[in-house]
Amino acid sequence: MNQIQNKLLESLKKYFGFNQFKSGQEETLISLLSGYSTLAILPTGTGKSLCYQLFGKMTQSKVLVISPLISLMQDQVEQIKYQKLGGAIALTSNLTGNERKYVLNHFDQFQFIFASPEILQNQYLFNVIKNAHIGLMVVDEAHCIAQWGPDFRPDYLTLGKIRSQLGFPLTLALTATATPAVEREIQQQLRFENNSNTIRYSVNRPNIFLATEILDNQEEKNRRLLELVQQLKMPGLIYFSSKKVANEITDLLDRKTNLRAAAYHADLSIEDRFSIQHQFIENKLDVVCATSAFGMGINKKDIRFVLHYHLPADLESYVQEIGRAGRDGAQSIAILLYCPGDEMIQQQIQLNTLPDKNEIQYYAQHPKIMSLTNDDSIEILNSFFKMGVSAEKLVHFFAQRKVHKNQALLKVLAYINTKECKRNFILNYFEEPDFIEHNRNCCSNNGEYDLKNLSLEREKYIKEHVKLKEYPNILQTLFNLQE
């Protein structure tokens, strides 16, 4: 073991310039180098991507990374190219016909191949990947198998079949959050071997203060939101369940504050989303008002706050999203704003995305009609029918999904309303055995907290472009003094 550890440390220094591993990285790499498929449940901000990048360099094998988002793939490709780790390509819809043709004709030039579950359904493309002899299959953000697969991306449920068709390559599944039940589901869906390993670290992030606030109505929530963003240190994220409300709050921040804010959601073009993400990384934006996709895998360490304007669907999603704060280890805060009735938004989302019994039975009898609709739930239904799942099984399956989602939402409400330590509430939810001792930097279990005591209160801020417009003479004097 010492020989492997010494080799790992040498390679870490050689390829990344680091002298030591972060939590879980070394254990994960030892497991892979010993030939065991591995599920690594590691805290946000611990550099999970380094595990497969370093494995690829040490073994010189091809690495297939299955990733949920184009922006996440592009970031990883950029990072690999910047670090000169080897050839990398993201197989996405962004590639032109000529680019895709070049990639497929020169596939041997690429060591790190990124793809979504959906694009792997292209048989010609999949055959090229299969013939490339994948040395490591990686499922990044593996919780998506359990959270997204059954609801709106059913191709995630085919990853076990894909792994089988690739000849059961050594596999690494990565995530920051997974209850024991989700852990078992990931392993089952990926058809992990009996001797596979699970490496689990606590979801606890002690530098993130946990706060919830119960407000009377939406008007009061908006007032409190404006108050918070003008007090909190920047930069920050605000999460929404509604694209429309994300746009509205961005407009409100533009009108009422001097903050540089932008909305991020699926209605924006890929180019706009990519631009917003990079402006945020480069500190050209103070706040991003986003739906849940934003921030997944984002390499920004100094996010000081994560606010939730709407309820998350479940505590797994909440822990994922607040985990984007404080990756530099500095004090940060997560605040969930709630007013009675907010849960109805998540319940409505469930109704819109999960088909009911009548829909399932109707479309099972009239399958041709499904191609004429743009309804999300019907498209999901069509995908399951194409997989050969019967209507009877789907009725039972989606009924269970609705029960599961309602129970998950009730847990979120219980988290908001608990008078006990919120951190221990989350640890208990993830069935972690060790509880922490509550202190003033932990959570708002009594409904109160002080940003000043937490060192999260910021100095007065003026937008850069406002400063240039209103104080040109002062700025010119400063420039003259420097000359």
Side-chain angles (χ1 to χ4, degrees):
M1 188 66 73
N2 287 337
Q3 189 175 357
I4 295 177
Q5 289 173 316
N6 290 337
K7 183 65 176 175
L8 279 169
L9 285 170
E10 287 174 14
S11 300
L12 180 69
K13 180 68 175 177
K14 177 181 177 181
Y15 295 116
F16 293 91
F18 301 143
N19 293 316
Q20 62 183 25
F21 287 101
K22 292 183 179 179
S23 300
Q25 289 177 332
E26 185 177 42
E27 295 97 315
T28 300
L29 281 158
I30 289 173
S31 177
L32 293 173
L33 291 169
S34 300
Y36 299 111
S37 288
T38 304
L39 168 58
I41 306 167
L42 308 179
T44 49
T46 53
K48 290 184 282 294
S49 58
L50 180 141
C51 296
Y52 62 77
Q53 291 169 3
L54 187 53
F55 179 90
K57 291 304 296 181
M58 291 181 68
T59 61
Q60 289 302 302
S61 56
K62 276 197 183 293
V63 180
L64 171 64
V65 184
I66 298 167
S67 185
L69 300 172
I70 290 176
S71 59
L72 181 53
M73 296 184 218
Q74 289 172 327
D75 282 348
Q76 294 295 346
V77 169
E78 283 184 18
Q79 183 184 2
I80 288 170
K81 289 180 177 177
Y82 177 76
Q83 293 173 319
K84 298 180 181 178
L85 296 175
I89 188 66
L91 302 175
T92 72
S93 55
N94 284 0
L95 293 177
T96 65
N98 287 335
E99 287 172 336
R100 181 174 291 196
K101 186 177 179 180
Y102 176 85
V103 168
L104 296 179
N105 288 335
H106 299 82
F107 209 65
D108 59 324
Q109 296 179 9
F110 302 101
Q111 184 181 4
F112 297 93
I113 302 108
F114 293 81
S116 67
E118 288 80 9
I119 208 161
L120 293 176
Q121 310 305 316
N122 181 308
Q123 196 58 50
Y124 178 75
L125 182 63
F126 182 74
N127 286 338
V128 173
I129 293 172
K130 184 178 180 181
N131 293 331
H133 304 294
I134 299 301
L136 178 68
M137 173 176 161
V138 180
V139 182
D140 201 9
E141 308 292 351
H143 58 277
C144 293
I145 293 171
Q147 292 183 348
W148 291 9
D151 296 337
F152 62 96
R153 292 184 70 174
D155 288 313
Y156 260 100
L157 303 180
T158 68
L159 293 184
K161 180 181 177 182
I162 285 170
R163 185 167 180 258
S164 170
Q165 291 172 337
L166 290 173
F168 292 102
L170 185 68
T171 299
L172 171 63
L174 293 166
T175 183
T177 56
T179 62
V182 171
E183 174 189 332
R184 291 189 294 271
E185 186 168 354
I186 292 170
Q187 292 169 330
Q188 181 181 355
Q189 289 289 347
L190 292 178
R191 305 183 189 181
F192 266 16
E193 296 80 7
N194 290 333
N195 64 352
S196 65
N197 287 330
T198 295
I199 294 165
R200 177 187 285 275
Y201 274 69
S202 175
V203 298
N204 185 29
R205 294 281 304 284
N207 64 309
I208 301 177
F209 186 90
L210 304 175
T212 60
E213 296 190 31
I214 300 176
L215 304 158
D216 292 334
N217 50 53
Q218 294 298 322
E219 184 178 344
E220 181 70 12
K221 186 190 284 189
N222 289 351
R223 184 200 64 75
R224 180 57 177 153
L225 178 73
L226 285 172
E227 187 175 82
L228 283 169
V229 296
Q230 291 180 95
Q231 289 178 327
L232 286 163
K233 284 183 178 179
M234 296 290 150
L237 288 174
I238 308 175
Y239 278 106
F240 300 82
S241 298
S242 162
K243 293 174 284 190
K244 178 185 176 185
V245 179
N247 287 333
E248 290 173 351
I249 296 300
T250 302
D251 291 341
L252 182 68
L253 295 179
D254 281 339
R255 294 196 315 270
K256 299 290 187 179
T257 75
N258 285 322
L259 296 172
R260 301 168 296 180
Y264 181 103
H265 48 68
D267 283 354
L268 300 177
S269 68
I270 292 172
E271 292 77 16
D272 284 344
R273 279 179 271 169
F274 189 75
S275 173
I276 288 167
Q277 184 165 311
H278 278 266
Q279 286 182 69
F280 188 60
I281 290 170
E282 294 162 7
N283 294 319
K284 294 177 181 176
L285 286 172
D286 302 303
V287 182
V288 174
C289 298
T291 50
S292 59
F294 184 84
M296 193 175 279
I298 189 171
N299 188 23
K300 186 168 179 62
K301 294 179 171 58
D302 62 343
I303 296 173
R304 292 279 70 87
F305 70 86
V306 174
L307 267 62
H308 277 73
Y309 188 92
H310 291 133
L311 290 183
D314 47 57
L315 284 176
E316 289 96 330
S317 301
Y318 187 63
V319 171
Q320 279 276 342
E321 288 160 5
I322 67 173
R324 283 150 201 167
R327 294 188 177 186
D328 54 4
Q331 182 66 60
S332 306
I333 191 168
I335 307 172
L336 199 164
L337 302 178
Y338 169 77
C339 63
D342 278 355
E343 60 272 22
M344 293 175 65
I345 297 171
Q346 281 296 341
Q347 289 168 345
Q348 189 61 45
I349 290 171
Q350 291 177 28
L351 287 174
N352 292 341
T353 55
L354 297 179
D356 60 27
K357 180 179 179 179
N358 292 335
E359 285 177 318
I360 294 168
Q361 292 175 338
Y362 176 80
Y363 285 107
Q365 296 170 8
H366 306 89
K368 292 182 179 178
I369 299 178
M370 285 191 285
S371 61
L372 303 176
T373 178
N374 292 322
D375 186 273
D376 290 341
S377 66
I378 305 309
E379 288 183 12
I380 293 164
L381 197 55
N382 193 23
S383 297
F384 279 109
F385 282 142
K386 286 179 180 178
M387 292 178 194
V389 185
S390 69
E392 184 181 0
K393 285 185 177 179
L394 284 175
V395 168
H396 179 68
F397 173 76
F398 283 114
Q400 284 187 316
R401 286 300 296 169
K402 287 179 181 178
V403 170
H404 173 79
K405 284 178 164 291
N406 278 326
Q407 289 174 339
L409 189 56
L410 288 174
K411 281 288 184 183
V412 176
L413 292 172
Y415 168 78
I416 292 169
N417 289 295
T418 185
K419 301 300 181 185
E420 305 300 322
C421 174
K422 295 185 183 299
R423 194 174 304 275
N424 281 325
F425 186 99
I426 288 175
L427 295 178
N428 182 58
Y429 177 80
F430 283 95
E431 300 181 32
E432 294 194 15
D434 297 326
F435 278 34
I436 56 93
E437 186 175 343
H438 179 81
N439 59 63
R440 74 172 193 170
N441 289 334
C442 175
C443 69
S444 63
N445 64 329
N446 61 358
E448 298 177 357
Y449 58 97
D450 190 326
L451 295 179
K452 191 170 184 179
N453 287 340
L454 291 168
S455 300
L456 287 170
E457 199 171 55
R458 68 188 174 97
E459 297 176 4
K460 193 173 181 180
Y461 176 87
I462 303 174
K463 272 186 183 175
E464 187 176 340
H465 70 266
V466 174
K467 191 186 294 183
L468 289 171
K469 183 178 178 181
E470 294 184 358
Y471 305 105
N473 295 332
I474 296 173
L475 285 173
Q476 189 58 55
T477 302
L478 288 172
F479 294 147
N480 291 338
L481 286 172
Q482 292 172 342
E483 291 175 356

